[in-house]
Amino acid sequence: MGEIQKCKELIGRRIAEDDWEALAGDLLRAAVTNNGNWTGLWDGVLDRVHRLPAQARSGVADGLVTHYHSDQAGPIARENALILLGIVSRDLPPHDRLAAERLALLDEISRQHSFWYGARYENLIEAELAAGRPIAPAVVATVRRSVLQAYLNEDLHRTVKKLTEPPLNVGEAWADQALRDAADDSDWQALLAHAATATAARPTPKWDERATALTAALGPDRVRETVLAWLALAGRPRTFELERGPYEPDVNSAYDPYNANALRGLAWLLSLLPPHPDTARALGALVQTSLKKVAGLGPRNPKVANAGVNALARIDSEAALAELARLATRVTYKNTLKLLDAALEARAEALGLSREEIEELAVPAYGLTEVGRAEHRLGEVTAVLEVQGSKAVLTWRNASGKPVKSVPAAVRRDHPEEVKELKAAAKDIDRMLSAQSERLDRQFLADRTCSYATWRERYLDHPLIGTLARRLLWTVDGTTVGHAAGALRTLADVPVTEGTEVRLWHPVDHAPAEIVAWRDWLERHGITQPFKQAHREVYLLTDAERATGTYSNRFAAHVLRQHQFHSLAAVRGWRNKLRLAVDDEAPPASRDLPRWGLRAEYWIEGDGGADHTDITDSGTYLRLRTDQVRFYPIDAPENSAHCAGGEYRMWLRDGAAPVDPLPLTDIPPLVLSEVLRDVDLFVGVASVGNDPTWQDGGPGGRFHEYWTSYGFGELNQSAETRRLLLDRLIPRLAIADRCTLEGRFLHVKGDRHTYKIHLGSGNILRTPNDQYLCIVPKSNPAAPQTGYLPYEGDRMLAVILSKAMMLAADTKITDPTILSQL
Amino acid sequence: MGIVMFVDETTSGSRSDGWGLEIAEERLAVRELIRRRVFQEVAEYNARTPEVFQGLVQPEDAERVLNGYALRTPRRIDPETQTELALKAFAGNGFLVLVGDRQVTELDEEIDLVLGTEVTFLKLVPLVGG
């Protein structure tokens, strides 16, 4: 305050003395004091200077130039001199003082993502404009990005309005391409400029009207093809990098916020054109690209993703509906997911169907004419599109019916469009198959029953879904059936041709002997299931859980990597909040089970160490500790606990009584099993116990005890499965006489020592003193590797077998890093 | 003459459908058995050159991708080189070979190929100390 007053007095004195050079010096000193921030009361100082007559301001400007060149001036003073020069010389007759220096500063600014509005850089722009020079596109881009964050500086807003060229910000692959395409065409330029005005969440009728007029001028087909080519480039690395300050998000992987508006506009625009399968495809891809995670930012740009969903919802075509259904199984970002749900609900309501039904109907056949197969004749040649496993394969046969290895030249010449379409269909099928296989995997908890006829049409005989449904087991009127040799069959291979009610088979409802029999049946018929169904782990209530009554401690007291847990939870349909090291409360990770009127909760808390140092740059805990699994009625008030840990409680208004958790004995076995399976997955994947480099116990050795008990503790369900397989495999191996399976371990007798390998973690202890032996899979071996088999196996079992093979011949080990431990 | 079934067993307990290869001899060394398998899968790849090579071992200058290996530059695979790689991998415990219900460990071991013999390949993981 004193400073400001003193400064104003000084200015008064200098004006009285006509000493402009001294005034310039005072202003520069003030700028250093206020950091170039002339806001608030400092505003008055500049007003005072502004009111000076032109001749006086011209004197101040000269003074600033002198100070700029003086030896005492440092970089801060020089930058402020340039800005002040812009301020005082507004409306003065053109006189290009320090033009080269100003351009150099602008060039520096153009490499930044944005500047703070208080920096007053708009005065540099104004000075350049006054001199009649165009502003470099990269500088325009920085100013536009800055103005999107500025709310107090009206001058900056006024200045940016003058920067109408180029219509998009340069620096992104898609925008650069669009600018090149629009270079000499005013219609295209107008279209881009209009797209950039998409600053609201939804288009107004007026916006649509203008967009329609602009596309009509260019021709809808041409617009679609050109815009889709641009969208394909969205999300590519920037064409020139921006400087990234410490603690700043990864601005080079983020979208340019100004261009993001334009992307949103283009998405809206596409939904106004006549429907086309390419459009749906491109919008779906845009949604996914826009939700990719960026360090320090989270999903790259949910605004654009949501615009993609809104656009798809506006397109009335089968392809758009299919894309919405596919995205609904893929997207985990909550806001976008809500939009997708709303769009699907709306479509269902319009057609008078349930949400499940609309998702079933939304699966297109992509030109397949029978289950997993289609033939197209293109002239003499036949193209065969076939689903093999979870992939679509396109093959060609020549006129005589012989397979040929690549697209025949004649077809490439005469039917380029059809070839392109077939290839696109094959890609669509791949993506849709994996989305649908995930949807079916989640169907267990939907517990949906279907009439036999509908089921045959939408599942078993559906050209696309059929390839999945025919590899699964189903229950028709209480009888388990599978599809083999062209028909539905029972365990005894008796064909089943009719029924009334069908549901997806789950092992929890069946006796172990029957489950094993079905596994053998699948093996006998050579069927590989698209996901674990017959081999699905079953989690039954334990005695410990009967004793604790309302909660399960089966997955308590684990230490999980928080970010990994968070994304796994989202994929499996759980709601979760990242725990930040802040004074706030958060609900537990929870999954709603509307079909059962239940809500499952997994209680967790952040663990940042004694002094909260195990956190990311943005303040998120690196690790979580876990606690109980509980079930509540779905409408029970939410529990919450402090992010850093502490008791979970229901905070109730109006003095209502808290709702009690439900006894585990009341939870249907299927629900309990599937929920605990999810939680086992979270622990099995995200636990720090999986990481062999943690044998020292991690930061400060805090987790030593946990790590040891995890690595050598009781077996989980998948380790139990592993045990059964080893039991079958080991007698067939050359090292069979050196191996025994006992409890949680595979014992291997070597020549130097005897070892035991834990079946859950694959960790090794040397007997008899239980000395830990650290052997890990080689990450990038130069030696030739064996092939990945055409489907994924249990890598842990491969690791255990490899370790057993190695240790059984421990005198042949040559690796010094292992030898030193023996 | 008989058909030998090749089965790739994953360690998750699931098995591929298996594919048959006609073999004229009644007895064959393990080395030769591996060579026949590799020659067959390379021949099939070279005939169609799909994007991904699904074979026993990773070809040189190829990247591991989902369900196989993608060649950095599309080309034909040389069956001889590929066989060399496979034999090296076998020697280094890269994979196990089970004939019927018995593991074979020596490349020169001769095996009886009675009708319907099943040969199983089981992949392992390279290890280092940590």
Side-chain angles (χ1 to χ4, degrees):
Chain A
M1 181 60 192
E3 287 285 337
I4 301 171
Q5 199 49 42
K6 229 191 290 170
C7 187
K8 283 185 182 165
E9 277 163 23
L10 255 164
I11 291 170
R13 211 175 318 142
R14 301 299 184 208
I15 293 170
E17 290 166 1
D18 271 4
D19 193 344
W20 309 126
E21 192 177 322
L23 176 53
D26 293 334
L27 285 172
L28 279 180
R29 267 187 293 281
V32 173
T33 315
N34 67 19
N35 246 331
N37 173 7
W38 296 98
T39 52
L41 288 172
W42 285 103
D43 247 344
V45 177
L46 291 182
D47 285 346
R48 190 94 199 259
V49 178
H50 267 303
R51 282 198 298 272
L52 292 175
Q55 190 212 346
R57 282 189 285 133
S58 181
V60 177
D62 288 336
L64 285 167
V65 175
T66 312
H67 280 287
Y68 184 95
H69 289 302
S70 86
D71 289 337
Q72 291 101 21
I76 300 175
R78 288 202 168 128
E79 183 175 320
N80 279 302
L82 287 171
I83 294 167
L84 283 168
L85 186 61
I87 297 175
V88 298
S89 50
R90 263 196 200 180
D91 325 319
L92 287 185
H95 183 292
D96 233 353
R97 295 175 181 90
L98 295 180
E101 289 78 1
R102 184 164 54 232
L103 278 176
L105 178 57
L106 282 173
D107 188 47
E108 221 169 275
I109 291 169
S110 76
R111 288 194 294 274
Q112 298 171 8
H113 178 264
S114 51
F115 52 80
W116 180 51
Y117 68 88
R120 301 279 172 147
Y121 286 141
E122 71 274 11
N123 292 295
L124 305 174
I125 309 286
E126 291 291 348
E128 277 297 294
L129 290 174
R133 277 191 294 267
I135 309 294
V139 178
V140 174
T142 308
V143 178
R144 280 174 175 166
R145 286 192 292 266
S146 306
V147 85
L148 286 170
Q149 300 166 1
Y151 46 95
L152 276 173
N153 182 341
E154 283 167 26
D155 289 342
L156 186 54
H157 283 270
R158 253 196 304 279
T159 301
V160 85
K161 289 218 175 78
K162 299 180 190 166
L163 304 177
T164 52
E165 287 288 315
L168 299 175
N169 274 358
V170 293
E172 291 188 310
W174 83 265
D176 288 0
Q177 183 61 44
L179 290 173
R180 271 195 297 276
D181 290 346
D184 306 312
D185 191 322
S186 59
D187 285 345
W188 280 111
Q189 302 242 2
L191 185 90
L192 288 178
H194 184 57
T197 63
T199 51
R202 275 163 201 285
T204 58
K206 219 173 113 197
W207 193 96
D208 282 349
E209 209 175 290
R210 170 128 175 89
T212 312
L214 284 166
T215 46
L218 288 159
D221 281 342
R222 199 168 139 224
V223 168
R224 189 190 64 243
E225 274 165 36
T226 318
V227 172
L228 291 189
W230 297 341
L231 290 193
L233 298 172
R236 289 272 179 93
R238 284 184 59 87
T239 50
F240 63 86
E241 292 219 340
L242 297 170
E243 282 161 12
R244 181 182 175 192
Y247 300 110
E248 223 175 38
D250 181 6
V251 287
N252 286 305
S253 303
Y255 284 168
D256 182 307
Y258 184 82
N259 286 350
N261 284 335
L263 277 178
R264 172 151 68 181
L266 291 177
W268 293 349
L269 186 107
L270 285 173
S271 68
L272 297 169
L273 301 174
H276 191 282
D278 285 349
T279 309
R281 220 171 269 147
L283 286 170
L286 180 68
V287 172
Q288 284 189 287
T289 317
S290 305
L291 290 178
K292 277 236 173 80
K293 296 239 170 103
V294 172
L297 203 67
R300 196 184 260 153
N301 201 315
K303 254 170 44 174
V304 175
N306 292 352
V309 173
N310 282 333
L312 280 170
R314 288 215 288 175
I315 301 174
D316 186 19
S317 80
E318 192 195 323
L321 181 59
E323 202 61 31
L324 285 172
R326 188 185 70 79
L327 286 171
T329 67
R330 273 280 175 273
V331 167
T332 55
Y333 181 68
K334 215 187 302 166
N335 285 334
T336 308
L337 196 55
K338 262 190 211 155
L339 273 184
L340 282 166
D341 278 338
L344 286 169
E345 291 283 357
R347 205 57 80 87
E349 204 172 313
L351 295 168
L353 296 167
S354 76
R355 169 66 197 275
E356 277 97 5
E357 280 177 301
I358 196 84
E359 277 185 30
E360 284 163 6
L361 287 176
V363 185
Y366 294 116
L368 296 176
T369 45
E370 52 191 299
V371 175
R373 197 182 149 83
E375 286 189 13
H376 296 269
R377 282 198 61 97
L378 305 174
E380 297 271 87
V381 180
T382 311
V384 184
L385 187 57
E386 231 174 346
V387 177
Q388 294 175 3
S390 53
K391 284 199 87 68
V393 182
L394 188 59
T395 50
W396 300 88
R397 281 201 214 131
N398 63 17
S400 56
K402 277 230 172 88
V404 285
K405 61 177 180 180
S406 55
V407 188
V411 177
R412 217 174 299 178
R413 188 184 59 235
D414 300 335
H415 307 273
E417 278 304 308
E418 283 97 327
V419 173
K420 211 177 107 207
E421 198 43 52
L422 277 170
K423 283 189 173 164
K427 278 225 175 85
D428 284 347
I429 290 174
D430 288 352
R431 294 187 308 152
M432 189 50 102
L433 274 176
S434 63
Q436 288 300 327
S437 135
E438 264 165 49
R439 181 174 74 86
L440 284 169
D441 195 351
R442 289 196 216 165
Q443 282 279 305
F444 288 113
L445 278 180
D447 190 42
R448 193 163 138 61
T449 55
C450 209
S451 83
Y452 182 81
T454 316
W455 170 74
R456 279 214 77 121
E457 180 196 335
R458 289 185 197 163
Y459 285 92
L460 201 68
D461 298 332
H462 186 283
L464 189 90
I465 298 285
T467 66
L468 300 173
R470 290 184 175 188
R471 291 188 283 145
L472 292 172
L473 299 178
W474 301 87
T475 311
V476 176
D477 299 335
T479 311
T480 308
V481 296
H483 192 274
L488 279 180
R489 290 174 197 279
T490 64
L491 192 53
D493 279 342
V494 179
V496 173
T497 50
E498 53 193 12
T500 47
E501 200 184 65
V502 185
R503 55 174 71 217
L504 190 58
W505 182 91
H506 190 284
V508 80
D509 310 322
H510 301 271
E514 194 196 338
I515 298 169
V516 172
W518 273 108
R519 289 180 188 172
D520 289 345
W521 185 91
L522 289 168
E523 193 166 324
R524 191 166 77 240
H525 289 285
I527 295 169
T528 312
Q529 297 206 293
F531 50 83
K532 274 193 177 177
Q533 187 192 24
H535 290 83
R536 204 171 188 79
E537 300 82 3
V538 174
Y539 298 77
L540 301 171
L541 206 58
T542 61
D543 287 338
E545 283 157 350
R546 276 192 199 94
T548 52
T550 52
Y551 57 90
S552 163
N553 265 337
R554 217 187 291 195
F555 300 102
H558 285 281
V559 180
L560 309 185
R561 285 179 281 256
Q562 157 148 260
H563 291 85
Q564 204 174 6
F565 167 75
H566 185 66
S567 30
L568 275 173
V571 168
R572 297 292 304 173
W574 289 65
R575 276 181 289 127
N576 184 45
K577 255 189 173 170
L578 276 177
R579 260 62 176 173
L580 284 109
V582 293
D583 185 17
D584 194 9
E585 299 237 330
S590 48
R591 180 169 178 181
D592 288 334
L593 308 159
R595 162 73 185 76
W596 310 87
L598 294 172
R599 179 177 81 218
E601 294 190 352
Y602 189 27
W603 286 9
I604 48 176
E605 61 183 49
D607 184 330
D611 42 5
H612 290 268
T613 44
D614 294 348
I615 57 175
T616 64
D617 277 356
S618 45
T620 324
Y621 285 117
L622 285 170
R623 284 173 281 278
L624 297 173
R625 285 182 177 279
T626 70
D627 205 337
Q628 312 169 354
V629 174
R630 293 184 172 213
F631 290 87
Y632 285 90
I634 195 165
D635 50 2
E638 195 146 61
N639 279 306
S640 69
H642 198 275
C643 291
E647 199 187 344
Y648 270 96
R649 270 176 298 187
M650 277 182 196
W651 292 99
L652 298 160
R653 287 173 205 179
D654 317 328
V659 176
D660 289 331
L662 298 164
L664 293 177
T665 44
D666 289 1
I667 307 302
L670 171 74
V671 177
L672 185 80
S673 182
E674 285 297 300
V675 165
L676 291 182
R677 186 174 184 268
D678 279 356
V679 178
D680 193 7
L681 171 85
F682 302 154
V683 173
V685 173
S687 167
V688 299
N690 291 325
D691 188 345
T693 61
W694 276 56
Q695 60 167 301
D696 59 356
R702 285 187 287 125
F703 302 119
H704 189 82
E705 208 173 306
Y706 168 69
W707 187 85
T708 313
S709 70
Y710 183 91
F712 298 105
E714 291 300 321
L715 298 187
N716 62 13
Q717 211 62 41
S718 48
E720 284 292 352
T721 320
R722 205 171 288 145
R723 196 191 142 84
L724 291 178
L725 283 163
L726 276 172
D727 210 20
R728 205 186 82 201
L729 255 175
I730 286 174
R732 301 161 67 186
L733 300 183
I735 58 165
D737 55 342
R738 286 177 173 262
C739 297
T740 39
L741 266 176
E742 264 173 47
R744 317 191 286 268
F745 294 95
L746 170 65
H747 294 251
V748 180
K749 208 174 135 356
D751 292 324
R752 293 160 176 263
H753 305 280
T754 302
Y755 311 88
K756 48 184 192 179
I757 308 173
H758 188 250
L759 300 181
S761 62
N763 286 342
I764 308 169
L765 293 178
R766 238 171 71 183
T767 53
N769 59 346
D770 276 0
Q771 182 189 335
Y772 177 72
L773 197 57
C774 188
I775 299 177
V776 293
K778 200 169 177 178
S779 53
N780 188 18
Q785 281 201 17
T786 45
Y788 252 10
L789 299 168
Y791 31 72
E792 264 311 286
D794 172 7
R795 187 170 155 81
M796 185 54 76
L797 186 62
V799 168
I800 292 172
L801 271 178
S802 307
K803 287 182 174 178
M805 298 289 295
M806 173 188 267
L807 293 171
D810 57 359
T811 47
K812 289 193 192 144
I813 295 173
T814 52
D815 182 344
T817 56
I818 298 175
L819 275 182
S820 63
Q821 300 181 62
L822 296 180
Chain B
M1 181 184 113
I3 298 223
V4 171
M5 287 302 290
F6 285 88
V7 181
D8 289 335
E9 184 151 2
T10 65
T11 42
S12 70
S14 41
R15 299 146 60 90
S16 71
D17 300 354
W19 45 283
L21 186 64
E22 275 186 25
I23 292 195
E25 297 87 341
E26 279 171 5
R27 288 173 66 78
L28 213 53
V30 177
R31 180 191 307 279
E32 181 60 16
L33 196 68
I34 295 174
R35 199 185 73 86
R36 299 265 176 108
R37 171 187 169 140
V38 172
F39 264 66
Q40 181 64 27
E41 68 193 17
V42 169
E44 275 174 29
Y45 174 85
N46 285 343
R48 293 189 296 132
T49 52
E51 274 169 36
V52 172
F53 174 67
Q54 289 186 344
L56 185 60
V57 287
Q58 178 169 12
E60 278 168 336
D61 198 29
E63 255 174 277
R64 175 178 268 186
V65 293
L66 188 65
N67 292 336
Y69 301 103
L71 299 180
R72 296 223 171 85
T73 44
R75 59 179 161 91
R76 293 168 67 85
I77 295 177
D78 176 30
E80 289 293 352
T81 323
Q82 196 63 16
T83 308
E84 280 304 308
L85 288 174
L87 292 177
K88 237 202 267 173
F90 179 81
N93 268 349
F95 59 89
L96 302 183
V97 178
L98 302 159
V99 177
D101 259 356
R102 194 173 60 85
Q103 183 190 355
V104 289
T105 52
E106 297 302 322
L107 280 176
D108 295 321
E109 193 175 333
E110 291 235 325
I111 41 181
D112 287 321
L113 298 173
V114 293
L115 195 68
T117 300
E118 214 175 71
V119 181
T120 309
F121 290 81
L122 196 63
K123 92 171 165 168
L124 293 180
V125 180
L127 299 168
V128 288

